[in-house]
Amino acid sequence: SNNDEFLAVADNAKNVKCYRVQANYTDITNNLWQYHAGRVTSISWSPDSSRLATSGVDTHCFVYSTTAVSSVLHMKSAHPLN
């Protein structure tokens, strides 16, 4: 994240994980961020590190909150595949 508080990754199972760096890399997502139907291709942080946006080959974008991890904004077909 921009403030070095979090580390976000995507795995081969299309899941997004977010770890709190200062808390021994504790997973804050609790396996809640499992929404993509295809490989995740990009991850981007908001300037204040409170939100994380992802996009993938499924053409969907998701915006996750680091303060309310169950709050997810889903934008279907948000970008072209090519």
Side-chain angles (χ1 to χ4, degrees), residues 13-59:
K14 302 166 274 204
N15 303 318
V16 176
K17 298 277 191 176
C18 184
Y19 300 95
R20 189 176 304 277
V21 174
Q22 298 299 322
N24 294 322
Y25 294 93
T26 303
D27 180 6
I28 68 164
T29 61
N30 297 316
N31 295 317
L32 293 174
W33 295 358
Q34 302 176 352
Y35 297 101
H36 277 285
R39 183 173 44 92
V40 176
T41 57
S42 65
I43 297 174
S44 184
W45 287 97
S46 65
D48 67 355
S49 300
S50 67
R51 299 213 185 297
L52 171 74
T54 63
S55 63
V57 297
D58 56 7
T59 72

